[in-house]
Amino acid sequence: MTVEQNVLQQHSQKHQQTLLNQLREVTGTTDVQLLQQALQVSNGDLAEAVAFLTEKNAKVPQQDEATYYQTTQVGNDRYISVGSQADTNVIDLTGDDKDDLQRAIALSLEESSRAFRETGITDEEQAISRVLEASIAENKASLKRTHTEVWSDSPNPHDRKRMENCPVGLKNVGNTCWFSAVIQSLFNLLEFQRLVLYYSPPARVQDLPRNQKEHRNLPFMQELRNLFSLMVGSKRKYVDPSRAVEILKDAFKSSESQQQDVSEFTHKLLDWLEDAFQMKAEEDREGEKPKNPMVELFYGRFQAVGVLEGKKFENTEMFGQYPLQVNGFKDLHECLEAAMIEGEIESLHSSAENSAKSGQEHWFTELPPVLTFELSRFEFNQALGRPEKIHNKLEFPSMLYMDRYMDRNREITRIKREEIRRLKEQLTLLQQRLERYLSYGSGPKRFPLADVLQYAMEFASSKPVCTSPLEDIDTSAPPGATTAPSEQGPSCTLPEGLSPAPTQAPSTQQRVPIHKPFTQSRLPPDLPMHPAPRHITEEELRVLEGCLHRWRSEVENDTHDLQGSISRIHRTIELMYSDKSMMQVPFRLHAVLVHEGQANAGHYWAYIYDPHQQRWMKYNDISVTKSSWEELVRDSFGGYRNASAYCLMYINDKKPFLIEEEFDKETGQMLSGLDKLPSDLKAYVKEDNGLFDKEIEEWDTLQARKAQQEKLALVAATAAAETTTSPQPMSTEPSPPDSWGPQQDPEYMEQPSPTDDSKHLQEDTERAISKAAAEKQEERSPEGLLTAAIKVEYTRLLRFAQEDTAPENDYRLQHVIVYFIHNQAPKKILERTLLMQFADRNLSFDERCKSIMKVARAKLDLVKPEEVNMEEYEMWHQDYRNFRETTIFLMIGLELFQKKCFVEALMYLIYSYQYNRELLVKGLYRGHNDELIGHYRRECLLKLNENAAGMFESGEEPEVCNGLSIMNELVVPCIPLLLVHDTEKDLLAVEDMRNRWCSYLGQEMEPNLQEKLTDFLPKLLDCSTEIKSFHDPPKLPTYSTLELVERYGRVMASLSRVPADGR
């Protein structure tokens, strides 16, 4: 057979299997023989095959064992070649259980056959292409958008600069989080990293690729090398993988869009890499069978041992990713045990050749150094006609011992499995017995038997305490009802012959009941206050109490013994494989690929173990952060939110070369950075780093130019202020000293309303001067009065700073000195700020104030530059300007929120929160209470989400568009802001918003709504903490201090619930 024939046969087998998978997913039929019959009858027409199976569905013939176990025969459809291993019996364990409904419905046999005949490319590969092409299209389209969903880089390159020794992230270029998760997991396998970096294409294809496979794989290998080299030595915080994705996209031609499946992509990626390395291996071989490093790294073998209709068989098969079912299992070992045994296996251990039973076991003969498990968390819901995600919890260990599944331990494992089976049977019987004790009774309500006996003992020992109907019962009588004469007196029993009914003559005949609506509804007159025996002797009570007490003790002892036996059996089962002989094949967890979302939309990220730092790292697109085993468990086991592990990557713990760093052979030093790269990639990374350095340099130059322009504008404004005759409160510096000329008072002191704000400040200053003059009668010199007045003013402001006030009375807004005292500003900063206050030219309304102003200005002239650090002085005042600005953002945001103008309020609350956090980094009292702002920011987003969801539910086209516009332009860009700090309330809010929209997946809706929802959900479910750009901050109005204090106090006082300020 020629190579071309071999490849054609391989593709034909894959094509046939793909059609079977599609038909199985669409119809839900699992009978392989019936599926093949449908394809044969319909001559390959998928629609006719579905119709045939639908008609046949009245009664589907039960699948016989021979058909079921045809998978053990070589040449069956289940056996397909992996990569270039076409002449080896290879099993694809990832192909049978795919539940990707979108691909199953979208493709048709006619398109598949035509594409296959023309290009030799399978449907599976074309599906990969559609996703890749959609990813690139999304990335290109995002560059043209101006709305808030734009995924843009920060314009400041310093924000994109890599921290020293921090891993490099990968940019999400449009629904490519699956690509990032897989590539990061493989990149952190250092042996795999070295293989890729030092790969060189075969010499014979460097000029012109020979066939389609070479044309596709070799350029991709080069781009993968480039990407890996940047991940090793780039100065960037994250790099763009678009070119590698472009290569994958260009390999196939399609235009459909869907989000890619991690396990499928991993399988396909390894196929491509295997092909590339196989070409190199065949070129390098010298008469020997070539060794493919990808096969040796990721592929293993198992022995299929079974019985088919009484005949035993053994086959050795090859596997890559190993699929495991999740539904019905609690941990990874249970999944593996179920996957290793199929059918009835009793006959495997017997010598009876005529047994009709069939079954098979799988025993690993060779495990790959990198062992990957695909967790099947999707199943097809026939009632709803679509795939659904399984959110069940599934635990897995950080260290997995594979000894019990090895062929060499076959006999001892069978013995242990039989022992476990026997113990589990005992366990089931004991649990059933225990259940009878814990849920006792024959009715629908059951109770623990010990409690039942205790209640019976309490009842028997109760004394009857009766009450009169007049005391407790007559209140229930209807208005107007009369009380019978006998219903009086406190006794418990009535005299014989008396009753609440009217008295009648005694009769030996049976009394005829008479309907009396009021008297007959009353409770019996001798009703006890609580349940108690009416008649019981002391002897009866003594015997009964003795029996009940003895029985209760016996029941408690039996229950305790059963619980102890169950616990011991559980412990025995857990320790069954704990002896050293069964702990010789350790595999350590290397990476966990997590999916959050539903079956047809979601986001992927990866947890990867760093053995050198001995900690888990979270790789979420551009974000690479330190993590922990606890966080991994929370997000990966399942059962918590909509996140769960989808793929587990274990590595052989006895093969350290997989994760070992390289060392220089001469110096013995560990290689890092560019030293790890071959010469061609080293030059490539240096060039990219040079471009990034140039970008930083240009940015710094631009910022310096802007700062200089602002400084010159400030000087010009100062000169204009000096020449004008109109009063400028707190804004004028003494003109003679050139050294202080450029230094201006902060903008927050330059209020536009001299009749209001500056007048208020002047009154405070003049009041301090008057008080100082009154206290210092003997002191007549202006210098002495200035010192005394400054002391008076400082004492007043210090008292304000020391008061414990409510949030609505924030004295920091009234004067900058209060803010400085709260934040322990240096003494020199306080002194100069107070001098500036008393040097204001507006104080010149009388001679005393005028003389003090002149002294203050003269003192400012005498201050030497080295005595007060003007950069520090300006920094403090800039912080106060930022504080006032943050206050205005918060105030307006809260006012709009209270008016239910949530769209308008959001940006104010978003920016107030962001600016406030920047202030709080410098100190606790630099800003406002972040819990307060965070609360209303979160509530505003929840309100917007609720309103948008309501618009979507209306089904009206304008309303739907408006709702999705609100989500895309406002809510979705803000979600990373809630995720970045990982606070519990913010995470729950994000989860609530996502769950609201995910709930629509299970509802019937118009096709256009379904399409809009499908397009929207990936954006909403993206867990990346990359901050997306949104609208510029709203332009703030200018407020005087009095106006700001009044409005801020009013809105804070009106809040129904304000968290403690904490100051």
Side-chain angles (χ1 to χ4, degrees):
M1 181 181 293
T2 66
V3 173
E4 288 76 8
Q5 290 173 328
N6 192 2
V7 171
L8 185 61
Q9 182 184 17
Q10 174 185 344
H11 281 297
S12 177
Q13 291 174 340
K14 289 184 179 180
H15 180 68
Q16 175 73 3
Q17 183 63 31
T18 301
L19 294 178
L20 287 173
N21 289 343
Q22 292 171 3
L23 202 54
R24 179 189 295 112
E25 290 161 354
V26 172
T27 62
T29 304
T30 58
D31 190 327
V32 177
Q33 189 177 30
L34 192 59
L35 292 172
Q36 291 174 336
Q37 181 186 358
L39 285 177
Q40 185 176 4
V41 169
S42 63
N43 291 323
D45 188 293
L46 191 60
E48 291 186 12
V50 172
F52 173 81
L53 289 173
T54 304
E55 295 171 0
K56 199 89 172 176
N57 200 33
K59 185 174 181 181
V60 179
Q62 188 173 359
Q63 180 181 2
D64 58 71
E65 294 173 319
T67 302
Y68 184 80
Y69 288 100
Q70 280 179 357
T71 58
T72 61
Q73 306 301 320
V74 178
N76 182 268
D77 287 330
R78 184 177 175 183
Y79 288 87
I80 63 173
S81 297
V82 179
S84 58
Q85 306 295 316
D87 55 344
T88 308
N89 291 336
V90 178
I91 181 169
D92 179 5
L93 292 173
T94 67
D96 283 348
D97 296 316
K98 297 298 177 189
D99 288 323
D100 193 342
L101 180 63
Q102 293 178 349
R103 179 158 55 88
I105 296 176
L107 297 180
S108 69
L109 181 63
E110 180 180 354
E111 294 171 344
S112 304
S113 301
R114 184 175 62 252
F116 177 74
R117 288 193 302 269
E118 294 175 357
T119 65
I121 300 173
T122 66
D123 290 6
E124 185 181 15
E125 292 166 332
Q126 293 179 31
I128 298 285
S129 168
R130 282 190 289 277
V131 179
L132 297 169
E133 194 164 36
S135 298
I136 296 300
E138 174 70 17
N139 186 38
K140 290 180 178 177
S142 69
L143 298 177
K144 302 178 183 178
R145 296 188 187 126
T146 57
H147 297 296
T148 59
E149 71 269 26
V150 176
W151 288 61
S152 60
D153 294 328
S154 168
N156 185 352
H158 291 282
D159 294 339
R160 293 179 275 116
K161 190 173 183 179
R162 180 184 182 183
M163 301 294 290
E164 187 177 0
N165 297 326
C166 182
V168 175
L170 290 176
K171 185 178 180 180
N172 189 328
V173 295
N175 289 345
T176 55
C177 49
W178 47 269
F179 180 88
S180 300
V182 174
I183 290 297
Q184 289 283 17
S185 301
L186 295 174
F187 173 81
N188 281 276
L189 285 170
L190 299 186
E191 178 65 13
F192 179 85
Q193 180 189 124
R194 286 188 286 269
L195 287 170
V196 171
L197 290 174
Y198 282 89
Y199 175 83
S200 59
R204 61 179 173 78
V205 296
Q206 287 183 349
D207 296 330
L208 184 66
R210 185 177 58 181
N211 54 39
Q212 176 82 11
K213 190 176 291 185
E214 292 177 355
H215 181 75
R216 177 194 67 196
N217 293 340
L218 295 177
F220 174 73
M221 277 300 303
Q222 185 55 45
E223 286 305 327
L224 190 61
R225 292 181 71 236
N226 292 342
L227 181 61
F228 272 29
S229 67
L230 291 175
M231 294 168 71
V232 168
S234 179
K235 292 183 179 181
R236 303 176 190 266
K237 178 182 177 182
Y238 57 89
V239 294
D240 190 333
S242 294
R243 294 180 65 177
V245 178
E246 281 276 8
I247 294 293
L248 295 176
K249 185 265 298 185
D250 289 339
F252 314 102
K253 303 298 179 184
S254 176
S255 59
E256 284 190 35
S257 173
Q258 70 181 71
Q259 187 149 5
Q260 184 54 35
D261 176 277
V262 159
S263 62
E264 187 176 354
F265 169 71
T266 308
H267 172 73
K268 213 63 194 169
L269 175 66
L270 294 180
D271 271 359
W272 292 332
L273 293 174
E274 180 191 344
D275 290 341
F277 277 94
Q278 187 67 22
M279 288 184 283
K280 181 65 176 174
E282 290 175 353
E283 182 184 68
D284 296 341
R285 67 179 178 180
E286 297 179 0
E288 301 177 358
K289 185 177 180 180
K291 290 186 177 181
N292 190 317
M294 290 295 109
V295 175
E296 293 183 349
L297 205 56
F298 294 102
Y299 291 91
R301 287 179 172 79
F302 66 82
Q303 189 88 356
V305 182
V307 173
L308 178 62
E309 296 180 345
K311 296 181 180 180
K312 294 185 178 182
F313 65 87
E314 287 194 15
N315 290 320
T316 300
E317 310 299 342
M318 195 175 189
F319 71 93
Q321 295 183 90
Y322 203 88
L324 296 175
Q325 293 296 322
V326 170
N327 217 1
F329 306 107
K330 68 176 183 179
D331 59 41
L332 186 61
H333 277 299
E334 284 193 2
C335 295
L336 275 167
E337 290 281 356
M340 303 298 281
I341 302 175
E342 297 178 7
E344 301 179 67
I345 61 169
E346 289 83 355
S347 56
L348 289 175
H349 314 148
S350 65
S351 58
E353 291 291 329
N354 57 354
S355 173
K357 293 182 178 179
S358 298
Q360 62 175 317
E361 296 175 333
H362 292 174
W363 300 95
F364 292 118
T365 56
E366 180 184 348
L367 289 172
V370 181
L371 180 59
T372 306
F373 295 113
E374 172 204 335
L375 303 183
S376 299
R377 283 195 172 271
F378 296 98
E379 63 181 1
F380 189 81
N381 187 320
Q382 292 227 230
L384 297 177
R386 64 168 181 265
E388 289 186 338
K389 185 177 177 183
I390 301 170
H391 296 291
N392 297 358
K393 183 177 182 180
L394 183 80
E395 299 178 359
F396 49 84
S398 59
M399 186 67 74
L400 177 69
Y401 293 97
M402 295 293 293
D403 302 74
R404 70 184 78 174
Y405 312 108
M406 301 304 294
D407 185 60
R408 62 175 177 265
N409 296 323
R410 184 191 302 185
E411 296 307 320
I412 188 171
T413 300
R414 283 175 173 169
I415 294 173
K416 289 180 178 291
R417 283 178 179 170
E418 180 61 27
E419 178 64 16
I420 290 175
R421 186 190 62 80
R422 185 185 62 80
L423 289 173
K424 285 185 175 181
E425 288 178 355
Q426 293 183 15
L427 190 63
T428 301
L429 294 175
L430 291 174
Q431 287 172 334
Q432 290 173 351
R433 290 180 59 188
L434 179 62
E435 184 66 17
R436 297 190 189 104
Y437 281 93
L438 298 180
S439 298
Y440 185 79
S442 56
K445 292 186 178 180
R446 309 275 179 112
F447 302 94
L449 180 55
D451 292 348
V452 172
L453 295 172
Q454 176 65 25
Y455 301 153
M457 194 155 47
E458 292 173 0
F459 172 79
S461 58
S462 298
K463 302 296 183 183
V465 179
C466 298
T467 181
S468 168
L470 285 175
E471 295 175 359
D472 294 315
I473 303 176
D474 66 338
T475 57
S476 63
T482 59
T483 305
S486 60
E487 294 180 359
Q488 48 187 324
S491 74
C492 179
T493 57
L494 297 177
E496 188 176 354
L498 277 177
S499 73
T503 308
Q504 295 183 3
S507 173
T508 57
Q509 296 181 352
Q510 184 176 1
R511 182 179 302 169
V512 178
I514 302 175
H515 178 67
K516 298 172 182 176
F518 298 130
T519 58
Q520 287 184 351
S521 65
R522 292 176 180 168
L523 299 174
D526 56 348
L527 181 72
M529 286 289 290
H530 55 76
R534 296 298 180 92
H535 303 288
I536 186 170
T537 65
E538 291 294 329
E539 180 63 22
E540 290 173 336
L541 180 61
R542 184 181 61 78
V543 172
L544 184 58
E545 283 185 336
C547 292
L548 290 172
H549 183 75
R550 184 176 71 253
W551 294 339
R552 184 170 181 270
S553 298
E554 292 171 355
V555 167
E556 287 179 340
N557 290 336
D558 291 346
T559 303
H560 184 268
D561 291 342
L562 285 169
Q563 290 173 334
S565 299
I566 290 172
S567 179
R568 284 191 295 273
I569 291 178
H570 274 302
R571 184 64 176 162
T572 302
I573 293 175
E574 289 175 2
L575 298 177
M576 188 64 69
Y577 296 101
S578 61
D579 52 290
K580 289 185 178 181
S581 64
M582 300 299 285
M583 300 175 70
Q584 300 300 309
V585 188
F587 275 76
R588 183 177 57 76
L589 187 61
H590 164 70
V592 179
L593 278 63
V594 179
H595 176 268
E596 181 177 40
Q598 303 298 328
N600 56 355
H603 178 67
Y604 292 100
W605 68 90
Y607 289 101
I608 303 173
Y609 187 72
D610 186 336
H612 307 291
Q613 296 189 38
Q614 295 186 345
R615 68 161 56 248
W616 286 93
M617 303 291 291
K618 182 178 182 179
Y619 290 79
N620 191 353
D621 290 335
I622 69 168
S623 173
V624 182
T625 55
K626 294 180 180 178
S627 185
S628 62
W629 175 254
E630 290 71 26
E631 183 183 4
L632 184 153
V633 166
R634 184 194 70 187
D635 287 347
S636 304
F637 279 10
Y640 175 78
R641 303 191 298 183
N642 290 327
S644 54
Y646 192 68
C647 189
L648 306 177
M649 193 176 289
Y650 284 88
I651 58 175
N652 193 322
D653 202 43
K654 290 188 174 181
K655 295 184 177 180
F657 72 89
L658 293 169
I659 52 174
E660 275 184 345
E661 296 281 0
E662 276 190 291
F663 292 86
D664 188 279
K665 295 180 180 178
E666 296 180 0
T667 64
Q669 297 292 323
M670 186 178 73
L671 298 178
S672 61
L674 296 179
D675 294 335
K676 299 174 67 173
L677 303 177
S679 57
D680 61 325
L681 294 181
K682 191 178 296 184
Y684 175 79
V685 175
K686 284 182 178 180
E687 180 182 358
D688 184 75
N689 286 343
L691 294 174
F692 188 61
D693 289 338
K694 185 178 180 181
E695 184 183 354
I696 292 177
E697 183 180 349
E698 290 175 351
W699 170 268
D700 291 341
T701 302
L702 178 63
Q703 298 308 307
R705 188 181 302 118
K706 286 183 179 179
Q708 183 65 26
Q709 291 172 351
E710 291 174 0
K711 189 174 182 181
L712 293 175
L714 193 59
V715 172
T718 303
E722 289 289 343
T723 57
T724 185
T725 57
S726 61
Q728 298 293 327
M730 300 301 296
S731 63
T732 308
E733 290 287 354
S735 52
D738 295 336
S739 59
W740 298 113
Q743 302 298 335
Q744 275 300 298
D745 286 318
E747 293 174 6
Y748 60 85
M749 303 178 82
E750 298 178 13
Q751 301 298 341
S753 178
T755 60
D756 180 15
D757 199 51
S758 59
K759 182 179 178 181
H760 172 72
L761 191 59
Q762 291 169 26
E763 288 175 354
D764 289 342
T765 308
E766 291 163 5
R767 192 179 299 112
I769 293 174
S770 299
K771 187 174 182 180
E775 292 177 354
K776 298 287 185 180
Q777 295 290 341
E778 71 284 354
E779 183 61 66
R780 296 294 181 180
S781 68
E783 186 172 353
L785 282 176
L786 173 63
T787 303
I790 288 178
K791 183 177 180 181
V792 169
E793 179 70 353
Y794 179 75
T795 302
R796 179 181 75 90
L797 298 174
L798 179 63
R799 186 172 63 253
F800 285 162
Q802 292 174 340
E803 283 188 23
D804 188 10
T805 60
E808 58 264 28
N809 297 322
D810 195 336
Y811 286 122
R812 293 177 297 173
L813 292 172
Q814 297 190 17
H815 204 290
V816 64
I817 292 295
V818 179
Y819 182 83
F820 286 172
I821 293 173
H822 269 294
N823 293 286
Q824 301 177 346
K827 182 180 177 182
K828 293 289 185 182
I829 304 298
L830 297 174
E831 290 176 351
R832 178 168 177 82
T833 303
L834 286 169
L835 271 177
M836 293 293 295
Q837 177 178 333
F838 283 87
D840 180 15
R841 284 197 176 96
N842 292 315
L843 295 177
S844 58
F845 73 98
D846 66 15
E847 288 300 321
R848 182 174 62 186
C849 290
K850 186 175 182 180
S851 61
I852 287 177
M853 179 267 292
K854 290 181 177 179
V855 171
R857 294 175 68 83
K859 281 184 174 292
L860 286 172
D861 294 342
L862 295 175
V863 177
K864 297 178 181 179
E866 61 268 16
E867 293 181 10
V868 177
N869 187 332
M870 289 306 296
E871 289 185 2
E872 184 181 16
Y873 176 84
E874 176 57 31
M875 180 198 72
W876 277 96
H877 282 273
Q878 182 61 51
D879 282 353
Y880 187 64
R881 282 194 291 273
N882 295 341
F883 170 71
R884 283 175 63 99
E885 188 175 284
T886 301
T887 303
I888 296 173
F889 273 119
L890 174 60
M891 178 186 72
I892 297 176
L894 291 176
E895 289 174 342
L896 291 170
F897 183 89
Q898 290 177 330
K899 295 175 182 177
K900 298 185 179 180
C901 301
F902 303 120
V903 172
E904 296 81 359
L906 180 62
M907 283 300 108
Y908 288 97
L909 294 173
I910 288 293
Y911 278 101
S912 67
Y913 186 87
Q914 294 303 110
Y915 292 161
N916 192 65
R917 284 198 69 89
E918 294 174 7
L919 290 170
L920 293 179
V921 168
K922 298 182 179 180
L924 180 61
Y925 308 120
R926 294 289 185 114
H928 295 287
N929 184 0
D930 61 336
E931 290 187 14
L932 170 80
I933 309 177
H935 169 76
Y936 283 97
R937 179 186 69 160
R938 186 169 54 248
E939 287 300 311
C940 190
L941 284 168
L942 288 170
K943 294 288 186 184
L944 285 172
N945 185 76
E946 185 73 18
N947 293 345
M951 294 178 186
F952 183 82
E953 290 172 0
S954 72
E956 299 294 333
E957 184 68 20
E959 289 288 291
V960 170
C961 291
N962 287 339
L964 291 177
S965 178
I966 289 174
M967 294 301 296
N968 282 324
E969 297 184 8
L970 295 175
V971 178
V972 170
C974 294
I975 283 181
L977 300 176
L978 299 184
L979 295 176
V980 69
H981 299 297
D982 204 30
T983 61
E984 183 178 0
K985 291 181 180 178
D986 285 347
L987 292 177
L988 289 175
V990 172
E991 186 63 21
D992 288 344
M993 289 187 280
R994 287 173 172 166
N995 285 341
R996 176 65 182 268
W997 289 90
C998 287
S999 67
Y1000 298 141
L1001 292 172
Q1003 301 178 16
E1004 294 295 331
M1005 63 179 69
E1006 295 296 328
N1008 65 316
L1009 294 183
Q1010 184 68 50
E1011 182 180 355
K1012 291 178 185 294
L1013 181 65
T1014 303
D1015 290 341
F1016 165 67
L1017 276 179
K1019 301 174 187 176
L1020 180 66
L1021 295 172
D1022 186 355
C1023 292
S1024 172
T1025 54
E1026 178 183 10
I1027 305 300
K1028 308 171 183 67
S1029 64
F1030 36 77
H1031 297 290
D1032 293 333
K1035 186 172 179 58
L1036 296 179
T1038 304
Y1039 296 101
S1040 70
T1041 298
L1042 288 177
E1043 290 172 337
L1044 179 59
V1045 169
E1046 181 183 352
R1047 285 187 62 174
Y1048 179 77
R1050 188 164 58 244
V1051 72
M1052 292 299 290
S1054 66
L1055 298 181
S1056 58
R1057 175 180 174 273
V1058 181
D1061 185 64
R1063 286 187 293 114

